[in-house]
Amino acid sequence: MNVLLKGKSKGKVYLVGAGPGDPKLITLRGQECISKCDVVVYDRLASPRLLRYLKPGAEKVYVGKLPDRHTMKQEDINQLLVDLALEGKIVTRLKGGDPTIFGRVGEEAELLYNNGIEFEIVPGITSAIAVPAYAGIPVTHRDLASSLSIITGHESPDKLDQSIHWDKVTLATGTLVFLMGVAKIGYIAEQLIKNGKPADTPVALIRWGTRVEQRTVTGTLETIEEIVKAANFQPPAVIVVGDVVKQREKLQWYERKPLFGTRVLITRARAQSSDLAERIEELGGEPCEFPVIETREPTETAIVDSVHNALNEAEQFDWIMFTSVNGVDYFFDWLSKLRIDIRRFHKARIAAVGPKTAEALEKRGLFVDVLPVKFQADDLLDSLSEHLVEGQRVLLPRGDLAREVLPRELKAKGLTPVEIDVYETVLADNQDEETLELLQKRSVHVITFASSSTVTNLFEVLRRMGVADPLELLQGIDIACIGPVTAKTAEEAGLKVTIQPQDATIDGLIDAIAESRLVHRN
């Protein structure tokens, strides 16, 4: 019997359905439970990407079961939840799909109740419905099926016969959905035919539905076992039996997306990765955020003084040239911090290196005077040449790793560039073991680099995580670089750059990745 430690209050356990795999299919309540907990207990049917919602310092406990071994017995998981709660912790038990559908939530909740521990059951989207939907199979249809049965297929044939009344199931419902029954597909098909289902009844198996690894095979009750064997089709998978499977031919929407089946590693700073991640998801891919750089305000006294001095000479500048969104954001942060009114730069014209930088300025009510046709800092001068006058002063709010081409060329033309490091780029403290495992399993298909620093820092982060030869780990993965400067850095590091857009923008990069992946698929 557990004894509550003196002075400690009991915690609470949230039994949360994580949905079928796509992390965006978790409920808002489920996401809240993850973000507030002290420890999350999860298995392999819950997307690791959901763990990004954890608060700093939250503990992660993996208790998932694999087909060939059990990491932790169910009784031990039940007791673990009790023990953690008795330590006064807020616990989220994250379970794939819905916890009440073959999720054994009743056993976990009962032990919590017996120990006087408060708990909540948070429903999730069950794989029995979501996975077929992602394969283009609605489980009900007005003309094909008006009822649905969800059946476990994980038991041995003897237990299946004890828990399933084959004659009633076969004849009493329209669509049959079996969860966890890949290894028993032959026996399931045999029993359904034996009890009255036509041998030509359509069947579909969807493996890892809603995820980048989703794979679907179809056949009939008569043929499906051989099809599964020939395809070496492995669990976990959802089995759908019924005429609704025919809808897949017209309705398969997810697998037709340009980036379906593609996992893309994003290495840029987390604050800048959201746009890229959203575009990847829209096109059917899976973004894997692995920031290897962080940006921050400089703290070195000399740098801070130089920024302060330059901004206090606002009236003397003829130009402000922005070469990144970060430059814009930190420039305005400094103005706010130093209480400097933007109107003091009334004399200055504004140039930006690309549309995203220009857009960041427009959001602040400033419209650029010059925007280059090509979106590289080197090309900005070509667009500016007819506007520049010898003797003009140019403010360059940039990062500490900015290239020297622009200030050097401005000097050569007789202008006075004033460079200020409004932000600095540092190595991210990233210890994402889930991402490292994906790389080791060759489950990452594309790596994106949006700057030279992301290239060099990825190698350094991997070394810090214990990877002896990062270059070897990254071999065979498509390398996508936003522009020629970044591509050169990647090639100098030994990587083979396979994707590079004509326009050095995030949109251009995504389009180039999608085009490349379509070539792979065809």
Side-chain angles (χ1 to χ4, degrees):
M1 178 181 293
N2 288 294
V3 179
L4 191 62
L5 297 178
K6 186 176 181 181
K8 289 218 173 187
S9 60
K10 295 179 184 178
K12 181 173 180 177
V13 177
Y14 295 96
L15 303 163
V16 177
D22 182 340
K24 285 197 171 182
L25 293 182
I26 194 169
T27 63
L28 290 175
R29 180 58 174 159
Q31 183 178 323
E32 287 177 355
C33 295
I34 297 172
S35 64
K36 70 168 62 173
C37 73
D38 302 309
V39 55
V40 61
V41 179
Y42 68 106
D43 57 41
R44 73 166 183 153
L45 295 178
S47 172
R49 290 172 61 206
L50 292 173
L51 303 182
R52 64 186 173 183
Y53 297 122
L54 289 170
K55 64 185 180 183
E59 183 184 354
K60 296 181 288 186
V61 181
Y62 177 73
V63 295
K65 303 177 183 68
L66 296 174
D68 59 342
R69 64 183 174 90
H70 284 233
T71 303
M72 185 179 287
K73 292 180 180 179
Q74 182 62 47
E75 294 76 10
D76 295 333
I77 296 174
N78 301 346
Q79 189 60 51
L80 173 65
L81 299 178
V82 171
D83 293 342
L84 290 170
L86 289 176
E87 292 174 8
K89 294 179 179 179
I90 303 299
V91 183
T92 291
R93 169 69 171 114
L94 203 57
K95 305 168 76 71
D98 179 276
T100 66
I101 298 182
F102 308 130
R104 305 185 76 169
V105 73
E107 300 170 40
E108 295 174 351
E110 186 174 2
L111 190 61
L112 293 169
Y113 172 82
N114 291 340
N115 283 268
I117 295 168
E118 185 181 0
F119 65 88
E120 287 185 23
I121 298 175
V122 181
I125 298 176
T126 174
S127 59
I129 296 172
V131 167
Y134 267 59
I137 303 171
V139 291
T140 64
H141 187 283
R142 184 173 63 175
D143 299 324
L144 302 174
S146 58
S147 58
L148 167 69
S149 291
I150 302 173
I151 308 156
T152 179
H154 192 55
E155 309 287 359
S156 66
D158 289 343
K159 287 186 179 181
L160 280 177
D161 289 341
Q162 293 173 14
S163 60
I164 301 173
H165 299 289
W166 291 105
D167 55 338
K168 294 181 173 60
V169 165
T170 301
L171 300 176
T173 190
T175 302
L176 305 179
V177 174
F178 291 86
L179 302 184
M180 306 171 289
V182 176
K184 313 295 189 307
I185 185 60
Y187 185 79
I188 291 171
E190 177 187 341
Q191 292 305 307
L192 292 175
I193 293 172
K194 182 178 177 181
N195 285 275
K197 276 285 186 190
D200 62 354
T201 301
V203 183
L205 278 77
I206 308 109
R207 182 177 191 268
W208 284 122
T210 80
R211 300 185 182 218
V212 71
E213 294 91 354
Q214 177 172 310
R215 186 181 176 199
T216 306
V217 294
T218 59
T220 66
L221 287 175
E222 187 174 40
T223 63
I224 194 63
E225 182 178 15
E226 289 305 316
I227 291 172
V228 166
K229 288 180 179 178
N232 191 27
F233 203 81
Q234 300 296 319
V238 171
I239 302 168
V240 185
V241 180
D243 288 337
V244 291
V245 172
K246 297 175 183 177
Q247 293 291 298
R248 171 174 162 75
E249 188 174 334
K250 295 179 180 178
L251 303 186
Q252 54 174 300
W253 57 276
Y254 181 49
E255 295 166 30
R256 289 175 177 152
K257 288 197 171 191
L259 290 183
F260 169 72
T262 304
R263 181 176 285 112
V264 183
L265 190 71
I266 302 173
T267 56
R268 66 193 319 213
R270 195 174 297 281
Q272 281 77 50
S273 66
S274 59
D275 287 348
L276 180 54
E278 286 175 8
R279 285 294 314 280
I280 291 168
E281 286 180 326
E282 286 173 7
L283 296 176
E286 180 184 297
C288 181
E289 296 179 59
F290 188 68
V292 297
I293 62 172
E294 293 178 358
T295 59
R296 66 187 185 191
E297 279 190 7
T299 55
E300 189 177 327
T301 302
I303 296 175
V304 172
D305 289 344
S306 69
V307 172
H308 196 169
N309 294 337
L311 295 180
N312 269 314
E313 296 177 347
E315 296 83 0
Q316 299 182 25
F317 290 105
D318 302 285
W319 286 94
I320 310 176
M321 297 183 184
F322 294 96
T323 57
S324 70
V325 173
N326 277 335
V328 175
D329 292 341
Y330 280 95
F331 173 76
F332 279 90
D333 286 347
W334 279 104
L335 293 185
S336 177
K337 182 178 181 179
L338 300 174
R339 306 291 294 170
I340 296 174
D341 195 316
I342 187 63
R343 289 173 294 185
R344 288 181 58 186
F345 289 90
H346 62 88
K347 178 183 174 184
R349 301 179 71 186
I350 300 174
V353 78
K356 289 295 184 182
T357 306
E359 183 181 316
L361 289 162
E362 288 178 10
K363 288 180 179 178
R364 292 172 169 83
L366 298 178
F367 294 85
V368 300
D369 296 285
V370 178
L371 184 70
V373 176
K374 293 184 178 180
F375 309 131
Q376 291 283 336
D378 300 13
D379 299 306
L380 184 58
L381 282 172
D382 293 337
S383 302
L384 284 168
S385 57
E386 61 182 282
H387 304 283
L388 299 179
V389 177
E390 188 174 345
Q392 288 181 327
R393 289 175 62 81
V394 181
L395 182 64
L396 299 174
R398 310 198 296 169
D400 62 323
L401 300 182
R403 299 172 65 235
E404 291 302 314
V405 174
L406 187 56
R408 185 176 65 241
E409 292 300 317
L410 288 170
K411 285 181 183 177
K413 292 179 180 294
L415 289 85
T416 303
V418 177
E419 301 175 69
I420 53 173
D421 292 344
V422 292
Y423 70 94
E424 62 184 11
T425 302
V426 297
L427 184 70
D429 182 18
N430 197 337
Q431 296 294 321
D432 188 342
E433 296 297 334
E434 285 83 12
T435 298
L436 179 58
E437 184 179 356
L438 288 174
L439 288 168
Q440 291 169 334
K441 290 181 175 179
R442 305 295 180 184
S443 296
V444 172
H445 308 100
V446 181
I447 301 177
T448 61
F449 294 113
S451 66
S452 292
S453 58
T454 57
V455 178
T456 54
N457 282 17
L458 176 60
F459 278 74
E460 182 58 30
V461 167
L462 291 174
R463 290 190 188 96
R464 291 189 178 189
M465 294 180 71
V467 178
D469 188 353
L471 184 59
E472 171 61 27
L473 180 66
L474 304 180
Q475 291 302 308
I477 303 175
D478 281 340
I479 303 299
C481 294
I482 198 167
V485 176
T486 304
K488 182 180 179 184
T489 304
E491 288 168 349
E492 288 173 348
L495 297 171
K496 181 181 178 181
V497 177
T498 53
I499 301 171
Q500 186 178 326
Q502 290 185 339
D503 293 335
T505 64
I506 292 300
D507 287 342
L509 184 63
I510 284 293
D511 291 342
I513 292 172
E515 184 178 341
S516 172
R517 297 307 295 178
L518 284 173
V519 170
H520 275 277
R521 287 165 64 178
N522 295 333

